[in-house]
Amino acid sequence: MSGYRGSALQVEHPCPQCGGPVILEETDRFLSCNYCHVRLYIFSKDYFRYYLPPSKHPESDTIFAPYWRFRGLYFSIRPFDIKNKVLDTSFSASGQEFLPISMGLRTQTLKLKFADSEMKTTYLPNQLTVNEAISRIEKMTHFFDSHEYTGRIFHKAFVGDTVSMIYAPLYIRNRAIYDGVLDRPIATLTQSRQECLEQPVGKTAWRIDFKPALCPDCGWDLSGGRDSVVLLCRNCDSAWHSVKGTFRKVDFRVVRWRDRNVIYLPCWRMSAEIEGVDLKSYADLVKTANLPKAPKPEWRKKEIFFWAPAFRTHPHLFMRLARQMTILQPEGDYNDSFPRSAFCPVTLDSGEAFESIKVTLANIAVAKRKFFPKLPSVTIRPLKAMLVFFPFTVEGNELVQTQLKFSIQRNTIGGPEILATS
Ligand SMILES: [Zn+2]
Ligand SMILES: [Zn+2]
């Protein structure tokens, strides 16, 4: 599924069971083989690492340079609005100025492979954190403005569906450093560059595992879309998130609905400890959002939850849904089992959803001039995330949520193929 336009890179990997060639998209979490029909879930201990194979040069003599690969939503809070954008790029992580800062379009035409720490090649070390890389991308590309923006930024947030590392091939020939894909020199080989390319790399322990997606509680096949980060067990009614290479249980609820002929869309309901701004209770939320409601004393004790879509979608829809749900504070009539309806796959992690809380707060606050300058000193400590599935009825091109009285365009969450009904 692609809730917004963006490039999904392709990855080639032999089927772990029969060896047949399988082409995956980078967001795929299931490997499905057309030859032996095995369907395996792909686990990684942290993030996925890929490499671009060199076109002619032998792999064993290739040096691989790391690039961060990002795709997701990017928000920048300024005086006095929130800019948003889909970030879909790569950025050099080696810190070496002689290498191109991005991988460019090559990744869209070539197939990646999973990088393996057992490969007998040299991997240059990664010198940049995800956040450092994103800050540099923003500075270098001015992606919200045609020229450099020097004004104030109160907060920046990246809510990613893809954060991975791609290694690009290099080799040395005739005192020059060559791009291993284009077979073209990109820099002369100086003494210091040679030292940098030959620096010893500490032993890495990367690994990806392919395992059948079976419910850890009852052993049934878990269901989900090809890019689901949370899988559902329709036998014992449980939900599972892959964390550090294993499945962990996720708390979930399904909002009751009289009719099975609906599509359930997942949202994260998050609780967090907030410091630096008065937002402890529902009474505080009503005041911040200036909701036209007569205050009730019990609201001072009522806990608030922050909401965010748990599926990939356009940044403006993401912001709108997160705001609407957080203002509404829905308290559904919940089921803790899955009805026989269609479920939209969960494609956004709770960790990423927590990154959106400050953006939602800024979006809700009515007194923006007073509220935005407080954002840098606001701290948000994530406490708990629960998945809540809301029923939507299909009406033409719209998906309508009857209880909360809002609708979204069907195409903003992708086509009908996204629906995992089994
Ligand atoms: Zn196979
Ligand atoms: Zn089960």
Side-chain angles (χ1 to χ4, degrees), residues 77-79 149-154 372-373 376:
I77 305 177
R78 301 172 171 198
Y149 172 77
T150 51
R152 198 157 171 205
I153 293 174
F154 300 111
F372 282 14

Side-chain angles (χ1 to χ4, degrees), residues 62-88:
T62 299
I63 300 159
F64 284 97
Y67 284 79
W68 280 116
R69 157 78 181 139
F70 303 111
R71 206 179 72 164
L73 313 181
Y74 188 79
F75 302 97
S76 173
I77 305 177
R78 301 172 171 198
F80 281 94
D81 66 346
I82 306 170
K83 298 245 183 203
N84 63 71
K85 190 173 168 127
V86 172
L87 186 66
D88 181 359

Side-chain angles (χ1 to χ4, degrees), residues 150-162:
T150 51
R152 198 157 171 205
I153 293 174
F154 300 111
H155 180 67
K156 295 185 277 193
F158 173 65
V159 179
D161 64 71
T162 303

Side-chain angles (χ1 to χ4, degrees), residues 238-249:
S238 55
W240 300 89
H241 191 182
S242 91
V243 184
K244 296 193 171 130
T246 59
F247 281 128
R248 286 211 201 131
K249 214 169 214 166

Side-chain angles (χ1 to χ4, degrees), residues 27-264:
T27 46
D28 284 354
R29 292 297 166 262
F30 273 108
L31 175 144
S32 300
C33 176
N34 288 336
Y35 302 92
C36 70
H37 302 291
V38 73
R39 192 168 184 247
L40 300 168
Y41 201 71
I42 315 167
F43 290 91
S44 146
K45 286 240 185 299
D46 42 23
Y47 44 84
F48 289 97
R49 293 177 180 81
Y50 310 101
Y51 71 96
L52 264 178
S55 51
K56 289 191 200 110
H57 200 76
E59 224 163 69
S60 56
D61 187 35
T62 299
I63 300 159
F64 284 97
Y67 284 79
W68 280 116
R69 157 78 181 139
F70 303 111
R71 206 179 72 164
L73 313 181
Y74 188 79
F75 302 97
S76 173
I77 305 177
R78 301 172 171 198
F80 281 94
D81 66 346
I82 306 170
K83 298 245 183 203
N84 63 71
K85 190 173 168 127
V86 172
L87 186 66
D88 181 359
T89 192
S90 61
F91 195 81
S92 173
S94 64
Q96 301 306 332
E97 90 316 321
F98 57 90
L99 295 175
I101 60 161
S102 117
M103 299 183 79
L105 299 172
R106 283 177 292 166
T107 48
Q108 289 170 19
T109 49
L110 294 165
K111 293 196 177 50
L112 303 168
K113 291 187 173 176
F114 284 112
D116 187 334
S117 51
E118 300 296 302
M119 276 167 61
K120 300 217 174 338
T121 52
T122 307
Y123 290 105
L124 296 183
N126 161 28
Q127 308 281 15
L128 277 189
T129 66
V130 170
N131 287 335
E132 284 165 348
I134 289 175
S135 292
R136 289 198 200 180
I137 293 170
E138 191 188 9
K139 270 207 190 83
M140 297 180 82
T141 59
H142 320 307
F143 60 59
F144 289 120
D145 310 279
S146 51
H147 52 87
E148 194 170 357
Y149 172 77
T150 51
R152 198 157 171 205
I153 293 174
F154 300 111
H155 180 67
K156 295 185 277 193
F158 173 65
V159 179
D161 64 71
T162 303
V163 175
S164 55
M165 184 68 82
I166 302 178
Y167 288 91
L170 304 170
Y171 59 89
I172 296 170
R173 184 188 288 164
N174 306 331
R175 305 300 300 159
I177 302 162
Y178 274 70
D179 177 317
V181 172
L182 303 173
D183 286 308
R184 217 164 55 192
I186 50 170
T188 49
L189 185 70
T190 60
Q191 179 67 28
S192 67
R193 286 172 185 172
Q194 178 148 21
E195 279 165 18
C196 142
L197 293 177
E198 286 169 354
Q199 61 191 302
V201 180
K203 247 310 176 225
T204 49
W206 317 332
R207 222 179 75 194
I208 48 159
D209 282 322
F210 298 90
K211 287 187 259 186
L214 301 177
C215 173
D217 273 1
C218 78
W220 270 56
D221 281 333
L222 295 172
S223 63
R226 60 192 286 180
D227 50 2
S228 290
V229 295
V230 172
L231 303 179
L232 312 181
C233 178
R234 298 257 182 148
N235 182 50
C236 72
D237 292 305
S238 55
W240 300 89
H241 191 182
S242 91
V243 184
K244 296 193 171 130
T246 59
F247 281 128
R248 286 211 201 131
K249 214 169 214 166
V250 183
D251 207 5
F252 77 92
R253 300 284 186 277
V254 182
V255 175
R256 269 180 217 275
W257 189 241
R258 54 178 183 267
D259 187 0
R260 276 186 193 172
N261 192 20
V262 287
I263 295 170
Y264 281 93

Side-chain angles (χ1 to χ4, degrees), residues 233-376:
C233 178
R234 298 257 182 148
N235 182 50
C236 72
D237 292 305
S238 55
W240 300 89
H241 191 182
S242 91
V243 184
K244 296 193 171 130
T246 59
F247 281 128
R248 286 211 201 131
K249 214 169 214 166
V250 183
D251 207 5
F252 77 92
R253 300 284 186 277
V254 182
V255 175
R256 269 180 217 275
W257 189 241
R258 54 178 183 267
D259 187 0
R260 276 186 193 172
N261 192 20
V262 287
I263 295 170
Y264 281 93
L265 260 58
C267 289
W268 288 109
R269 192 193 81 167
M270 300 167 279
S271 53
E273 213 173 82
I274 298 187
E275 274 174 27
V277 68
D278 282 335
L279 257 169
K280 304 259 180 300
S281 68
Y282 185 59
D284 297 330
L285 181 77
V286 168
K287 205 171 137 202
T288 306
N290 196 17
L291 302 180
K293 289 185 171 189
K296 292 182 186 166
E298 63 267 30
W299 288 355
R300 298 228 66 84
K301 292 203 183 81
K302 198 175 153 195
E303 188 189 358
I304 43 172
F305 297 105
F306 297 93
W307 292 79
F311 52 92
R312 264 203 304 281
T313 187
H314 301 269
H316 51 264
L317 180 64
F318 183 95
M319 270 176 65
R320 174 160 78 83
L321 285 180
R323 178 179 187 276
Q324 268 173 335
M325 308 278 282
T326 304
I327 282 178
L328 288 168
Q329 295 286 304
E331 290 168 46
D333 178 9
Y334 293 141
N335 257 333
D336 49 13
S337 61
F338 300 113
R340 297 258 145 236
S341 301
F343 279 72
C344 170
V346 177
T347 48
L348 201 76
D349 217 76
S350 57
E352 296 298 319
F354 274 111
E355 295 293 320
S356 70
I357 290 182
K358 265 199 197 187
V359 179
T360 302
L361 282 180
N363 197 15
I364 281 173
V366 170
K368 302 220 182 300
R369 281 167 194 278
K370 216 171 127 198
F371 194 87
F372 282 14
K374 291 182 186 166
L375 284 171

